Amino acid sequence: MDFIKVASLSELPEGSSKIVKVKNSKVALFHFDGKVTAIGNACLHKGGPLGLGCVEKKHGGTFVACPWHGWEYNIETGKAPPGYKDQQSVYEIKIEDDVILISEEPIVQSIKATHDLSDLADLIDLKYQTTGTSLNILGISTTNMNDNLARFSTSENALEKALAYATEKYGAETKMIKLRQLNFRHCEGYYSQHMNACTWPCSITEMDAKDGMTQVYRDMVLWADIVLLATPIRWGNASSLYYKMAERLNTVQNQITLNKNILIKNKVAAFIITGGQDNIQSVAGQLMWFFTDLGFVFPPFSFVGWSRGWTAEDMDKNVLQFKKSDYIKRTTEEMIDNCIETISQIKKMNTIKIIAPKPHRQDSLSVDIENPDMNL
């Protein structure tokens, strides 16, 4: 077997790693415990650069964790940890006169094992539950509270009124998600490393199908025709739980960038915004900007607001006034009427003709610049 020079030993001090190119492949070199080893650089999961990963002693050996999603490989054998059958390619190393030589071909070939993702099959295959005649309305309450010390929520109460009206008048199928009752992780920013690191389904969901956002993905993307989002105003902004959810929805928008794949088609969104202090139009603008970027369509007059103004610090009276007011009941019903009229129209649209005028990977100003560490 032929060997080629890839580095000097001084370029790879003890406790370090380095990415080198061998023919048309990138290889991760490691120097740990006085031994230089080499395995394929491209993680078998999504192609992350193993040479940039963290190396630790664990599982009875020395393992590198992919910096994208944490898949692990033994840096000597290329094997995955116990319980997994993945095998990374392994290259032979020789050291001659402080020169690191590597085999031109791997001595062990990579094998990507089959992983059981059956719990996510509907998301992977995009098994939509909407039809030309379905009327599925999803309510999402983003208010945060301790349910053991439950308080009255104006935004959630208005959402309940809207869903009840939709069922009573139109026979709609409705669901309500209370984000505070879902145990879901924050977005962990994989996209900031590489666009391919942000996946569909979300890589966090793939790691843990019980993560609470899995329900949001299923109900919002696959099931709902109409999404009603209700939020209180918190310091002039939507609820922090809303933003936590929105960050995890980057996986939906990113499919446009990566694959020109629009997941949200022929769906309507509208909003309920309540608060003691006034900033309703600004919050509505933030919500509308984000939801249109996902692909949602809005009805005329797409939000209902309730506020008592800047000086309204007597929040106990806010609730009293809210409960006495006929305004919320009337306007939420009118919003539902508008949503249903809008969905009846957009269901006639040919989804094949829907185009997202968004940046794609080839539009990047640095598209012609090669990153020597990346495999993609």
Side-chain angles (χ1 to χ4, degrees):
M1 182 177 293
D2 293 330
F3 287 76
I4 60 173
K5 174 184 175 181
V6 289
S8 64
L9 197 56
S10 59
E11 293 177 290
L12 189 70
E14 172 71 27
S16 69
S17 58
K18 181 180 179 66
I19 298 171
V20 297
K21 194 167 185 178
V22 178
K23 288 190 171 180
N24 294 321
S25 300
K26 291 181 181 178
V27 177
L29 292 179
F30 301 94
H31 188 178
F32 286 83
D33 299 321
K35 185 175 182 180
V36 176
T37 59
I39 62 175
N41 186 55
C43 178
L44 299 176
H45 180 217
K46 298 296 179 182
L50 297 180
L52 300 182
C54 179
V55 177
E56 294 183 89
K57 288 189 177 296
K58 53 171 53 176
H59 312 304
T62 305
F63 282 76
V64 60
C66 177
W68 283 9
H69 305 112
W71 280 36
E72 296 176 324
Y73 305 89
N74 187 299
I75 64 172
E76 292 188 43
T77 67
K79 293 183 180 296
Y84 297 92
K85 297 181 180 180
D86 300 278
Q87 170 69 61
Q88 184 56 270
S89 57
V90 179
Y91 290 77
E92 186 176 350
I93 292 291
K94 292 182 179 180
I95 308 294
E96 295 181 357
D97 299 326
D98 195 46
V99 173
I100 301 173
L101 303 173
I102 189 170
S103 59
E104 287 191 334
E105 302 293 338
I107 56 174
V108 177
Q109 298 295 328
S110 64
I111 301 172
K112 183 176 181 179
T114 300
H115 292 252
D116 183 10
L117 297 176
S118 56
D119 288 345
L120 303 176
D122 56 339
L123 292 170
I124 294 170
D125 298 333
L126 290 174
K127 295 180 180 178
Y128 289 100
Q129 299 170 46
T130 53
T131 68
T133 58
S134 61
L135 188 53
N136 301 334
I137 303 181
L138 173 64
I140 301 178
S141 172
T142 68
T143 193
N144 208 350
M145 71 173 79
N146 181 347
D147 283 328
N148 293 323
L149 294 171
R151 58 172 175 78
F152 184 85
S153 166
T154 54
S155 61
E156 190 163 286
N157 181 265
L159 179 58
E160 290 169 345
K161 292 180 187 298
L163 295 176
Y165 173 74
T167 299
E168 180 181 348
K169 181 173 181 180
Y170 295 99
E173 295 289 332
T174 64
K175 293 182 181 181
M176 181 188 281
I177 291 176
K178 298 178 181 180
L179 287 186
R180 66 182 179 275
Q181 295 177 349
L182 300 184
N183 182 19
F184 65 101
R185 285 156 58 176
H186 286 276
C187 176
E188 294 168 4
Y190 300 120
Y191 182 85
S192 63
Q193 299 186 81
H194 195 284
M195 65 178 71
N196 289 76
C198 182
T199 65
W200 175 263
C202 172
S203 48
I204 294 175
T205 298
E206 190 177 280
M207 296 177 204
D208 179 11
K210 294 182 180 179
D211 179 84
M213 274 299 294
T214 307
Q215 180 182 348
V216 176
Y217 296 139
R218 282 200 171 99
D219 289 345
M220 180 183 288
V221 177
L222 302 182
W223 181 81
D225 293 297
I226 298 171
V227 173
L228 303 179
L229 185 134
T231 181
I233 296 175
R234 295 282 187 259
W235 284 98
N237 291 290
S239 162
S240 61
L241 274 179
Y242 160 73
Y243 288 107
K244 183 180 179 183
M245 177 190 72
E247 288 180 355
R248 288 286 301 277
L249 287 171
N250 187 56
T251 180
V252 176
Q253 196 276 341
N254 194 41
Q255 288 305 298
I256 300 171
T257 301
L258 281 178
N259 304 313
K260 301 181 183 179
N261 186 15
I262 304 172
L263 303 188
I264 302 292
K265 293 182 179 181
N266 292 15
K267 294 180 186 288
V268 167
F271 312 102
I272 296 169
I273 306 162
T274 69
Q277 296 181 352
D278 188 22
N279 201 35
I280 290 171
Q281 291 93 333
S282 176
V283 172
Q286 294 173 31
L287 299 177
M288 293 174 71
W289 169 83
F290 180 72
F291 273 76
T292 194
D293 221 40
L294 295 180
F296 283 91
V297 174
F298 307 121
F301 312 105
S302 59
F303 65 91
V304 168
W306 168 271
S307 172
R308 295 174 63 243
W310 176 250
T311 60
E313 296 293 344
D314 50 346
M315 294 304 292
D316 57 321
K317 295 177 182 177
N318 174 58
V319 171
L320 288 175
Q321 282 193 312
F322 179 91
K323 289 181 176 180
K324 290 180 179 179
S325 174
D326 291 329
Y327 160 79
I328 285 293
K329 180 178 183 298
R330 173 178 61 80
T331 55
T332 53
E333 290 178 358
E334 291 169 344
M335 184 179 67
I336 288 291
D337 293 338
N338 288 345
C339 285
I340 289 177
E341 177 60 29
T342 303
I343 195 67
S344 69
Q345 296 299 318
I346 70 166
K347 277 181 178 285
K348 301 173 185 177
M349 294 173 61
N350 185 347
T351 58
I352 296 176
K353 294 184 178 181
I354 295 177
I355 300 171
K358 307 298 296 179
H360 298 147
R361 67 171 78 208
Q362 67 269 22
D363 297 319
S364 171
L365 296 177
S366 58
V367 69
D368 58 341
I369 300 174
E370 180 182 357
N371 184 336
D373 294 330
M374 294 298 159
N375 306 295
L376 304 168

